Amino acid sequence: MAKSYYKTVWLSDIHLGSKDCKAEYLLSFLKHAEIETLYLVGDIVDMWAMSKSFRWPQSHNDVLHQLLKLSKGNTKVVYLPGNHDAPLQQYDGLQFGEIEVVREKLHVTAKGQKLLVLHGDQFDGELALGKVTATIGDFGYDLLLFLDRCFHKLRGKHSPKYWSLARYIKSHVKGAKKAIERYREVCCNAAREQGYDGVVCGHIHHPEISTFENTLYFNDGDWVESCSALVEDRHGEIKLVFWPFADIHSQPPVIGELINNKNKVA
């Protein structure tokens, strides 16, 4: 497969070190891409997960090495730490080898649009719903990811499309939809107040391209549920890429398909 050229790629919420990271998919995407500028928009390494139970399989190591390889080649790499890799926030403004570390960054597209790039955890204070609600939310999300892992074991590793059960369930929960809308609003307001044309962020694991009050909103998604990247071509057009052949908006596969795939793997 020929490599795809991208002027810019934004990736976030990879969560290396977490059992839910889809490292194999990300490595495949990176190996099939020629990238001029790569933004790592936070939660690249899940230090929270590793503090509870250290886990670092070879596939996660391969992704890290591929990112370092890109930084030493012809790709400019900018790392914007998030909340799960928060210890790296103290190095804001420093350079580690060929990688620049910053909390926020201005990106100017080939069209001349000025975009504020940041992880998005900066706005958690404005979105806080209290400790009890947050704890329930974390427990619910962990349960969804557990169900997702069970789903993919049943479906089999060789399915032609990546499909997230967790994402499907979450997208049909009214409270989750409202939280996503509120997050979009807060991010766009911050960008507009600072004189930007739009914002690029991650954090909430919800890939999206939209506008809010004439402000562009780009969320690059994640590599836990969505396997998505935000990309800009040489003409300044920005779109979402799902890998490999992800179909995040479809209905769940039927039970018969799940059983057949399980039998094939066995």
Side-chain angles (χ1 to χ4, degrees):
M1 182 187 296
K3 288 189 176 183
S4 298
Y5 167 81
Y6 301 116
K7 182 180 183 296
T8 314
V9 171
W10 293 268
L11 301 171
S12 77
D13 299 275
I14 298 171
H15 291 276
L16 293 171
S18 162
K19 56 181 172 291
D20 297 298
C21 170
K22 306 299 186 295
E24 295 87 352
Y25 290 155
L26 177 56
L27 184 62
S28 175
F29 169 75
L30 291 172
K31 288 186 174 181
H32 289 93
E34 181 183 341
I35 306 169
E36 199 171 305
T37 301
L38 173 61
Y39 289 99
L40 301 174
V41 194
D43 288 2
I44 306 306
V45 178
D46 196 331
M47 296 179 179
W48 287 10
M50 290 195 296
S51 68
K52 298 175 184 177
S53 177
F54 185 80
R55 182 179 185 279
W56 196 262
Q58 185 59 46
S59 60
H60 295 208
N61 209 44
D62 292 341
V63 168
L64 185 60
H65 279 286
Q66 184 65 22
L67 293 173
L68 292 173
K69 180 180 177 181
L70 289 172
S71 73
K72 294 177 181 178
N74 298 320
T75 302
K76 177 183 178 182
V77 179
V78 181
Y79 193 155
L80 302 94
N83 50 310
H84 282 259
D85 43 18
L88 299 178
Q89 294 178 10
Q90 63 184 306
Y91 301 112
D92 182 16
L94 298 181
Q95 192 91 10
F96 285 87
E98 305 300 324
I99 301 177
E100 177 185 4
V101 180
V102 290
R103 275 290 273 161
E104 300 182 6
K105 186 77 173 179
L106 163 66
H107 175 78
V108 181
T109 71
K111 289 183 175 181
Q113 297 165 321
K114 295 189 299 180
L115 304 177
L116 170 63
V117 185
L118 76 177
H119 180 64
D121 61 304
Q122 290 91 331
F123 308 119
D124 282 354
E126 298 180 54
L127 301 168
L129 299 175
K131 289 186 177 180
V132 174
T133 304
T135 300
I136 294 173
D138 287 343
F139 173 79
Y141 186 63
D142 287 342
L143 177 60
L144 284 180
L145 293 179
F146 170 75
L147 292 174
D148 217 23
R149 292 194 297 275
C150 294
F151 172 82
H152 283 286
K153 285 182 180 178
L154 178 62
R155 193 179 187 196
K157 295 181 179 180
H158 304 293
S159 176
K161 287 185 178 181
Y162 173 78
W163 188 90
S164 173
L165 176 64
R167 180 169 176 77
Y168 178 81
I169 295 174
K170 191 172 69 173
S171 66
H172 288 73
V173 175
K174 187 175 180 180
K177 290 182 179 180
K178 287 186 175 180
I180 290 168
E181 290 172 0
R182 175 58 180 157
Y183 178 76
R184 182 196 308 122
E185 177 184 353
V186 170
C187 289
C188 288
N189 286 342
R192 186 171 57 256
E193 289 168 3
Q194 296 180 55
Y196 294 95
D197 297 308
V199 60
V200 177
C201 56
H203 193 39
I204 62 170
H205 296 201
H206 184 78
E208 180 183 344
I209 295 178
S210 61
T211 59
F212 177 80
E213 295 187 354
N214 298 318
T215 301
L216 298 167
Y217 175 77
F218 301 99
N219 193 304
D220 57 25
D222 63 279
W223 290 84
V224 171
E225 303 170 51
S226 310
C227 295
S228 59
L230 190 71
V231 302
E232 177 190 6
D233 67 19
R234 64 181 78 251
H235 305 295
E237 296 294 334
I238 297 177
K239 66 178 181 179
L240 283 164
V241 171
F242 298 93
W243 194 272
F245 315 114
D247 189 356
I248 63 172
H249 300 296
S250 69
Q251 295 294 316
V254 297
I255 296 299
E257 179 187 343
L258 297 182
I259 294 173
N260 289 337
N261 281 333
K262 183 181 179 183
N263 291 336
K264 288 179 184 177
V265 173

